[in-house]
Amino acid sequence: MRKQIAAANWKMNLTLTEGIQLAEDILKNEFDLNKSRAVLMAVPFPYLISIQQLLKGQANIHVCAQNCASTKNGAYTGEVSAEMLNSIGVHYVLIGHSERREYYHEDNALLAAKVNLALANEVVPVFCCGEPLAVREAETQNAFVENQLKESIFHLSADQMKGFIIAYEPIWAIGTGKTASSDQAQELHAHIRSVIAAQYGAEVAESVTILYGGSVKAANAADIFGKPDVDGGLVGGASLIASEFSTIIKSLK
Ligand code: PGA
């Protein structure tokens, strides 16, 4: 089975003390994680090492960065490179979250550069895509997301695409309490998988993990994750509450 993942995205929330408390509270639960189920915790840069220490010895629970630079190294004040993440043992990174696209003007070409740098430095990208409300209302979301994939990840080789992680997050559902219905999620996920199949073949497409993001919570996770092309979730708000995120982890297929 392809990997099922529950990914927490803390965004710019919590102090270090609060973050450690949250992670500790989550770890009090028993999770049935195995080779095909994993948990990611995308925490702010300054907390990566502390949370990583706390997760030591936890099989299949990993820290994840929320971003990395689009350039290799050099005079880029305030940036954090994929190489730096690798050097501290961080092997996952969110790339192209809609908040990065919207507030920091990250476009598809820049995100392609980030994906390349992450892969070159043995950091696994969690590539985020998804349409804004106007696109959904115009019913052109399939073409919109397809273009995001084409321009940012379809230059990768089939080998690189094998087991790749994508997070589909309709922007109108992020932090709004408005979740896409599980059927809407399934429809778009199936479309993403078919586009990957057309480009790379069915075997590669079947191996790609596609997470759903946008107001996932304990109450709707099992329904959404139960859909055949939904392989888990990327969770913002509800990942800040230990009981919520723990239930979400337990809702993985
Ligand atoms: P949300 O955020 O769960 O708060 O909607 C999801 C995300 O932005 O990754």
Side-chain angles (χ1 to χ4, degrees), residues 145-162 164 166 190-208:
V145 170
E146 191 172 329
N147 188 55
Q148 288 180 321
L149 302 178
K150 278 194 175 143
E151 294 190 358
S152 295
I153 62 172
F154 277 8
H155 61 283
L156 299 177
S157 68
D159 245 19
Q160 289 173 312
M161 192 55 77
K162 219 173 243 168
F164 198 82
I166 292 172
H191 177 65
I192 290 174
R193 208 177 295 288
S194 75
V195 171
I196 297 170
Q199 183 79 9
Y200 293 98
E203 198 190 323
V204 171
E206 276 304 308
S207 76
V208 172

Side-chain angles (χ1 to χ4, degrees), residues 7-9 11 94 97-99 128 167 169-171 173-178 212-217 234-239:
N9 178 8
K11 308 189 181 184
L94 303 184
H97 190 280
S98 64
E99 287 148 18
C128 306
E169 301 199 298
I171 298 172
I174 294 178
T176 57
K178 242 195 242 170
Y212 168 79
S215 300
V216 173
K217 46 185 189 265
L234 176 56
V235 187
S239 77

Side-chain angles (χ1 to χ4, degrees), residues 47-126:
Y47 308 166
L48 282 168
I49 290 180
S50 306
I51 302 297
Q52 181 186 50
Q53 292 287 329
L54 210 144
L55 297 179
K56 222 173 223 164
Q58 298 284 337
N60 303 312
I61 307 186
H62 313 280
V63 279
C64 175
Q66 296 177 10
N67 182 28
C68 69
S70 59
T71 42
K72 196 167 177 285
N73 56 18
Y76 300 99
T77 303
E79 288 292 280
V80 174
S81 70
E83 186 181 24
M84 291 172 180
L85 295 177
N86 177 302
S87 77
I88 59 165
V90 172
H91 294 293
Y92 293 89
V93 62
L94 303 184
I95 291 183
H97 190 280
S98 64
E99 287 148 18
R100 302 291 322 168
R101 293 174 186 264
E102 185 178 350
Y103 306 141
Y104 305 98
H105 314 293
E106 298 190 355
D107 63 19
N108 293 342
L110 178 114
L111 297 175
K114 291 191 180 198
V115 167
N116 291 343
L117 283 165
L119 291 172
N121 288 285
E122 289 161 23
V123 181
V124 176
V126 176

Side-chain angles (χ1 to χ4, degrees), residues 9-29:
N9 178 8
W10 291 5
K11 308 189 181 184
M12 197 173 74
N13 290 299
L14 308 178
T15 62
L16 177 59
T17 309
E18 290 166 343
I20 288 174
Q21 185 65 54
L22 172 60
E24 283 176 349
D25 287 346
I26 291 167
L27 294 181
K28 283 179 191 150
N29 291 269

